[in-house]
Amino acid sequence: MSPAARSDLLQGTLDMLVLKTLSLEPMHGWGISVRLRQISGEVFEVQQGSLYPALQRMLRRGWVRSTWRATEHNRRARYYELTAEGRRQLAEQVAEWERSARAVDRVLRFAFQGG
Amino acid sequence: MAWHHELRAIGRALVRRRDDEREMDEEMRFHLDMETRALERAGLPPEAARRRALRAFGGVERYKEEVRDERGTRPLDDLAHDVRVAWRALRRRPAFTAVAALTLALGIGATTALFGVVKSVLLTPLPYADPARVAVVWSAWKGYEQTWLSYDEWEGYRARIPAFRDVGLWADGALTFTGGGGDVGSERVRAGFVGANVFPILGVTPALGRGFTAEEDRPDGPAVVVLGHALWQRRFGGDPAIVGRPVQVDGEAVTVVGVMPAGFRLPLDYGGDGPTEAWRPLATDAAQQGAVPGPAFPKNGMSHGFYGVARLVDDAPAAAVAERANRQLRDFVAGLERDGVYPPGMEFRAYAVPVEAQVTGRVRPALLVVFAAVGLVLLIACANVAGLLLVRGELRRRELAVRVALGVGPARLARLLLAESVLLAAIGGALGVTLAVLGVRLVRHLAPAGLPRVAEATLDGGVLLFALAAAGAAALLTGLLPTLQAWRVAPSVELREGGRSASVGAARLRWRQALVVGEVALAVVLVTGAGLMVRSVRNLLAVDAGFRPDGVLTMQLSTPSTWYADSTRVAAFWDELQRRVAALPGVDAVGAVRLLPLSTEMGDWGLQVDGYTPPPQQGTPGDWQVVTPGYFEAMGLRRRAGRFLEPRDALGAPLAMVVNQRFAETYLAGRPPLGARVRVNGGPPDAWATVVGVVDDVRHNALTREVKPQFYATLRQFAVSPGNTMRTMSLVVRTRGAPTALVAPVRAAVRALDPRLPVSEVRTMREVVDASIAGPRFAMALLALFGAVALALSAIGLFGIVAQVVTARTYEFGVRAALGASPRELVLLGVRAGAAQAAAGLALGTALALVLARGLGSLLHGVAPSDPVTLAVVVAVTGAVALAASAWPARRAGRVDPATVLHDA
């Protein structure tokens, strides 16, 4: 796999995971990164900074919107939340992911039986 | 929609740039703080926690850049940067920028102005419903290519041409409005007399009130009128309650039933005579005068005196239906001829012309030629600016080489150079639109009266869009070559060569040389067009019209039957008016005539000529002119034999007739014309007139049209045979002074005699003649203007290239001078640099001109498109200009001082 294709795959997955995280509750960037580490069990390893270009892209496309709010420790932070368009995107990406996962699964099982 | 959202987001990002930056900083700082604190809580010392947080984040600056990229404003930022750089570059060289921008402004402005005219005249649809399905119906027969319909033909077409949904008739004339709207005096306006179905056929409903009903369109029907919008505004103050009210028309009370919308015109109102402004029912009594009601035809087809307009059926594309209608008309007429309605020798035909072709057909060639010419001017302007930019490119090679060496890619380089062209074109375009405003005014001023709708030409949105497109094309055309040139810059060579490269030129000059060759060639084409038109107009002006137009004032007057019941009273009015005008100081002769030559087309009248038998199936038609004694002297006709008509040719005197030379040659060949006897059909059976004089042919219908047999009778005697009273005539006054000085005194004389009579069409005969060749003159004036501009631009181009060559070869010239070359030899060397291009351009241009001049076709008179004299003169003139443009900068070569040059090297 070429580096470019690998990064595309990573980026797509990152987008989906961020959307999934935000679907639970609005959150700031650091919070998202903590949640990503928790739920992926440290398997999904990216530099934390790469989250921000992804968030900016989603802002531009209208999948998320952002507001400045106080945290529970009374610091100003930028919170992101899903828009209706973002929810639609998430559903689509999850469906797409599951379809390809099933396909890969079938291929692997067939290869195993055939081998 | 996603793209829609993105555009808004990018727009917001452009505006919020500074806030976005601040918020991004704060957001990332917050992230690092939180991460650091979390690591501290996990037991790391503060310093180590901070380092680990930074490492986990990745490069802060790198991600900031990535975020900036994701805002989507990057291409715009780059563009803004390039434009700023280009602007600074242009500002550093104000002279270059001014010349380039003005050159483009000239090209774009002229093209835009002409496009505005083309759009208004040719592209804007006529104000009818589905104008493509409105057609004007014409008759034609031997000697008449386009003439009127008869009542019976109209009935026949209505019943027998299925491609016509309906056919209507109208006639034109004039109405005199008196009294009524406040204190305005009497006013005579052109008027249409329309069948009740004409407005519905055109698909136009009145803005106020209604059109005419079938009951009103009958002889002796109710007296009603529909007003034109302009007349309604002008004379009745736009009174909305005018409908239903009586107004004074031709001395009687007529009820206004409607007002047409602004801009409404009858299909033939776009010509030189100006629009009709009021309409009354046609109410033809043709049926009572011997026409056969219903589709049956009387022998000879009856008198032709109506215009016809048809609405085509809509079961197929309009063009196909028009073709079908013409086929059906041909078949129908062929049937009539078989039935003996028309004699075969008459060669009667009928045809329909779509109204758009009818309105613009005559001017289309002239306008398209001029528009093509202005396109060439724009091309030359672009070539010139491209040449200037190439020179700048030469001077900037080092700068560009440095940029390439620093890693600026070809796309970025192209953008940088194109930004300069775009900026120049934008400035040129803005100036050009300003020029176009003046240009449209100039064209409106120069335009012939027959150029329809030119008065409506403005710079509207469509025209501005065109200007934008022209500017865009100019940007591309001018930016292309400099970009190609820059792409070939090799930094390794360029930066090693050092400051002076002895080889500047040769290979790299080639593009500029090609441009100059093209410019000179296009200039030759334009100047040839101008030259041909000048010769053509000179030929037209040299045509012997048969009268002396200088020193003649004319104006039209009408004597309505309400106030002048019969021909005796009309003739008495003209006698008295002529007596009073003749008494004015400076007046040499005065008379009146039915139709001014070169102004209104003349129809013919059937005659019998004693001793002449027409060939089988042909009549003896004569164009009929009715005059008062004095007309011949006033118009300056030349007598060939006998005498002019005189006051003694009055009521009760023997009927006298003057005929033209063509008449004598055609009908009186081989015998003395004087004393021949002629009878006008329709008059009393024994009313034979005697030919008392022969005059030289007057080119009545156009300077270039064939003259037909024509006869002149006096107003008084024409009222006896055939029995028509001329109600509208033109007064013709010959003076030894300036004709316009007589306008006020003559008007006063008319007013003193009968203040109710309005005067219209006040023109000198010279104006009438000029207007008749306005089309070729218009093309000539504009082509001459564009030819001059093209010549000037290509001269500038040549000047530039020779100057560049001389500069580049200064060192070489210095060496030659040191070795003993005379200044003259050096100047010749410099001139030679431009001469080659000029010669190539002249040759190419001559070849192009031979092909393109054919497009002038119908505009030319008495000169072939490939006229060798014109081409020789054009080549000589263009060559001389090219030589001068080369010699000027080449003089510098002769002044090269070897000591300075060699020392500097």
Side-chain angles (χ1 to χ4, degrees):
Chain A
M1 191 184 273
S2 75
R6 185 184 159 78
S7 101
D8 274 357
L9 183 68
L10 266 180
Q11 191 175 64
T13 318
L14 181 62
D15 282 1
M16 186 176 66
L17 292 176
V18 169
L19 288 173
K20 180 71 196 164
T21 310
L22 288 177
S23 73
L24 307 176
E25 56 175 329
M27 208 174 280
H28 44 66
W30 181 70
I32 297 171
S33 84
V34 170
R35 184 63 60 86
L36 282 183
R37 273 174 275 165
Q38 287 168 354
I39 55 180
S40 70
E42 314 283 335
V43 166
F44 190 73
E45 223 176 300
V46 289
Q47 288 190 313
Q48 292 168 22
S50 66
L51 187 59
Y52 290 93
L55 281 169
Q56 179 62 42
R57 186 170 53 247
M58 287 188 260
L59 270 175
R60 199 183 73 218
R61 291 184 181 162
W63 299 353
V64 300
R65 60 173 157 259
S66 72
T67 45
W68 286 87
R69 271 190 260 156
T71 66
E72 55 262 54
H73 304 298
N74 230 7
R75 268 198 69 163
R76 236 168 71 87
R78 187 183 214 169
Y79 279 78
Y80 294 87
E81 63 183 310
L82 278 195
T83 62
E85 175 64 23
R87 270 176 221 293
R88 232 169 44 74
Q89 277 295 329
L90 175 60
E92 244 171 57
Q93 291 190 10
V94 168
E96 174 66 25
W97 175 265
E98 283 171 352
R99 208 165 38 248
S100 43
R102 267 201 306 278
V104 171
D105 191 41
R106 264 201 308 278
V107 168
L108 288 178
R109 224 174 310 160
F110 175 77
F112 188 68
Q113 285 166 358
Chain B
M1 283 233 258
W3 62 267
H4 170 242
H5 189 277
E6 281 213 32
L7 276 187
R8 252 197 333 214
I10 292 169
R12 210 166 33 235
L14 277 175
V15 184
R16 285 178 41 91
R17 184 186 311 274
R18 202 160 294 163
D19 289 342
D20 280 349
E21 281 291 308
R22 195 174 39 69
E23 289 180 359
M24 177 177 70
D25 290 350
E26 187 177 345
E27 185 174 28
M28 290 187 178
R29 199 162 53 239
F30 170 79
H31 183 114
L32 290 170
D33 286 355
M34 295 305 283
E35 184 72 17
T36 308
R37 208 172 311 159
L39 291 171
E40 279 175 22
R41 274 203 301 277
L44 280 183
E47 273 303 304
R50 185 90 198 156
R51 269 202 308 278
R52 185 121 160 242
L54 276 172
R55 204 165 50 241
F57 193 87
V60 174
E61 284 311 315
R62 172 190 155 199
Y63 285 117
K64 278 187 181 173
E65 267 305 292
E66 282 190 19
V67 169
R68 286 184 195 118
D69 282 346
E70 291 294 350
R71 283 186 201 138
T73 61
R74 184 74 73 181
L76 287 173
D77 290 345
D78 288 349
L79 187 69
H81 175 256
D82 290 346
V83 169
R84 266 198 307 276
V85 169
W87 175 239
R88 277 202 298 271
L90 289 179
R91 265 207 348 217
R92 270 199 302 274
R93 295 179 159 264
F96 160 83
T97 306
V99 168
L102 280 177
T103 304
L104 287 181
L106 208 58
I108 294 171
T111 318
T112 303
L114 256 293
F115 178 76
V117 174
V118 166
K119 176 168 177 285
S120 169
V121 175
L122 298 184
L123 304 180
T124 309
L126 292 166
Y128 308 130
D130 194 4
R133 290 184 195 278
V134 175
V136 182
V137 188
W138 293 104
S139 300
W141 58 84
K142 208 169 174 175
Y144 290 90
E145 280 312 306
Q146 187 160 300
T147 185
W148 294 294
L149 268 55
S150 76
Y151 183 82
D152 284 300
E153 282 152 11
W154 168 66
E155 286 193 319
Y157 301 157
R158 271 192 110 175
R160 306 281 293 280
I161 307 296
F164 290 159
R165 200 165 75 200
D166 198 2
V167 188
L169 290 183
W170 89 92
D172 58 3
L175 292 174
T176 302
F177 283 77
T178 44
D183 55 359
V184 270
S186 63
E187 181 179 12
R188 190 157 165 279
V189 301
R190 264 174 54 77
F193 298 86
V194 300
N197 61 350
V198 165
F199 293 156
I201 284 172
L202 298 175
V204 182
T205 43
L208 276 183
R210 57 173 176 82
F212 300 119
T213 63
E215 286 66 44
E216 285 161 349
D217 186 19
R218 294 224 168 105
D220 304 316
V224 291
V225 66
V226 167
L227 302 177
H229 194 269
L231 179 68
W232 174 56
Q233 290 290 336
R234 184 172 74 233
R235 192 167 181 88
F236 302 101
D239 178 5
I242 190 88
V243 173
R245 287 229 319 260
V247 296
Q248 290 291 312
V249 179
D250 287 349
E252 58 164 343
V254 177
T255 308
V256 176
V257 296
V259 176
M260 291 309 272
F264 169 77
R265 297 198 174 182
L266 289 174
L268 298 178
D269 278 359
Y270 293 96
D273 293 338
T276 53
E277 294 200 276
W279 303 275
R280 297 199 60 182
L282 179 62
T284 173
D285 58 357
Q288 296 161 8
Q289 296 252 328
V292 182
F297 267 74
K299 261 316 201 223
N300 83 25
M302 283 305 293
S303 83
H304 291 76
F306 302 108
Y307 296 112
V309 63
R311 165 68 62 174
L312 303 177
V313 295
D314 50 14
D315 57 358
V321 179
E323 213 170 289
R324 195 197 313 157
N326 275 314
R327 221 164 32 238
Q328 290 167 351
L329 281 170
R330 260 199 309 280
D331 294 347
F332 180 59
V333 167
L336 292 178
E337 207 170 272
R338 273 197 303 279
D339 296 346
V341 173
Y342 303 107
M346 186 178 176
E347 295 170 19
F348 183 88
R349 282 161 291 139
Y351 60 98
V353 184
V355 68
E356 276 154 355
Q358 179 74 43
V359 169
T360 61
R362 227 160 28 88
V363 296
R364 185 179 286 268
L367 208 50
L368 290 183
V369 160
V370 171
F371 191 51
V374 83
L376 292 187
V377 170
L378 180 60
L379 265 185
I380 295 179
C382 287
N384 232 356
V385 173
L388 288 172
L389 284 169
L390 279 178
V391 177
R392 263 172 59 74
E394 282 302 323
L395 301 172
R396 286 171 68 185
R397 287 184 82 84
R398 284 181 62 79
E399 174 208 331
L400 294 177
V402 170
R403 283 181 193 271
V404 172
L406 289 178
V408 171
R412 185 76 210 239
L413 203 60
R415 222 167 49 199
L416 203 67
L417 290 167
L418 278 176
E420 228 167 275
S421 306
V422 167
L423 210 54
L424 276 177
I427 300 170
L431 286 175
V433 168
T434 321
L435 275 180
V437 173
L438 300 176
V440 165
R441 259 187 232 161
L442 178 73
V443 172
R444 282 213 293 236
H445 180 72
L446 285 175
L451 192 59
R453 302 197 285 171
V454 68
E456 294 150 38
T458 48
L459 298 186
D460 56 12
V463 179
L464 290 180
L465 212 61
F466 175 87
L468 197 67
L476 273 181
L477 286 176
T478 54
L480 201 61
L481 282 185
T483 304
L484 288 175
Q485 175 199 35
W487 278 347
R488 292 179 29 162
V489 165
S492 55
V493 178
E494 209 58 45
L495 298 178
R496 213 172 33 220
E497 253 179 12
R500 186 198 332 270
S501 66
S503 65
V504 168
R508 296 183 212 135
L509 260 176
R510 222 170 281 145
W511 276 330
R512 276 204 86 196
Q513 289 169 334
L515 281 178
V516 169
V517 169
E519 276 181 58
V520 173
L522 291 181
V524 168
V525 170
L526 282 174
V527 176
T528 304
L532 288 171
M533 287 313 300
V534 168
R535 291 204 52 179
S536 179
V537 168
R538 270 189 38 193
N539 288 343
L540 283 173
L541 288 174
V543 168
D544 174 18
F547 59 92
R548 286 181 290 127
D550 289 313
V552 175
L553 176 72
T554 75
M555 58 186 71
Q556 218 176 60
L557 281 166
S558 249
T559 46
S561 56
T562 328
W563 303 321
Y564 295 87
D566 53 37
S567 62
T568 314
R569 276 169 224 243
V570 173
F573 164 81
W574 284 104
D575 282 351
E576 181 57 20
L577 180 62
Q578 277 182 231
R579 200 183 58 74
R580 293 189 186 193
V581 172
L584 293 173
V587 172
D588 280 351
V590 54
V593 66
R594 178 175 86 98
L595 296 176
L596 280 181
L598 298 177
S599 168
T600 313
E601 191 156 325
M602 194 188 286
D604 60 16
W605 199 295
L607 302 173
Q608 274 174 272
V609 178
D610 193 16
Y612 171 80
T613 318
Q617 311 290 6
Q618 280 184 42
T620 312
D623 283 6
W624 53 293
Q625 185 67 296
V626 181
V627 300
T628 64
Y631 168 73
F632 298 92
E633 294 86 351
M635 191 57 89
L637 268 63
R638 288 188 304 267
R639 184 171 45 202
R640 278 259 172 144
R643 63 174 177 89
F644 291 147
L645 295 174
E646 293 170 5
R648 64 173 136 142
D649 302 311
L651 199 65
L655 297 178
M657 188 180 268
V658 165
V659 299
N660 70 352
Q661 180 67 18
R662 178 60 53 88
F663 189 110
E665 285 163 2
T666 314
Y667 299 143
L668 307 173
R671 54 185 168 134
L674 299 183
R677 298 197 318 142
V678 180
R679 201 183 79 86
V680 179
N681 286 345
D686 56 344
W688 288 89
T690 306
V691 174
V692 299
V694 179
V695 292
D696 270 348
D697 291 343
V698 167
R699 293 191 176 264
H700 185 95
N701 287 338
L703 287 176
T704 53
R705 292 258 292 272
E706 181 202 3
V707 177
K708 289 175 296 181
Q710 189 179 1
F711 68 91
Y712 299 80
T714 61
L715 174 66
R716 279 198 162 88
Q717 294 193 338
F718 203 73
V720 176
S721 173
N724 289 42
T725 303
M726 289 302 109
R727 296 243 163 242
T728 300
M729 293 184 81
S730 289
L731 184 69
V732 179
V733 186
R734 175 168 292 280
T735 170
R736 54 207 100 121
T740 42
L742 277 175
V743 173
V746 173
R747 270 180 184 278
V750 173
R751 205 161 38 239
L753 190 55
D754 186 343
R756 296 167 303 185
L757 297 188
V759 169
S760 64
E761 312 269 335
V762 181
R763 292 187 291 175
T764 67
M765 211 47 213
R766 174 51 62 191
E767 284 170 350
V768 174
V769 173
D770 284 351
S772 80
I773 54 168
R777 282 174 79 102
F778 173 68
M780 177 194 77
L782 288 182
L783 282 181
L785 183 67
F786 298 151
V789 170
L791 209 52
L793 287 179
S794 50
I796 293 173
L798 262 177
F799 180 99
I801 196 161
V802 173
Q804 189 192 1
V805 167
V806 170
T807 308
R809 288 168 68 181
T810 305
Y811 180 77
E812 178 203 330
F813 288 148
V815 174
R816 283 174 187 268
L819 294 176
S822 73
R824 215 179 125 258
E825 285 166 331
L826 293 178
V827 171
L828 276 180
L829 268 178
V831 169
R832 207 180 289 162
Q837 279 81 58
L842 287 177
L844 183 63
T846 308
L848 270 177
L850 280 173
V851 177
L852 294 178
R854 278 189 221 138
L856 289 173
S858 62
L859 292 175
L860 296 182
H861 177 72
V863 54
S866 57
D867 181 49
V869 178
T870 308
L871 275 174
V873 171
V874 167
V875 168
V877 167
T878 316
V881 170
L883 203 63
S886 312
W888 189 265
R891 288 182 319 161
R892 270 212 334 253
R895 289 200 299 261
V896 166
D897 174 15
T900 322
V901 171
L902 297 177
H903 182 262
D904 284 354

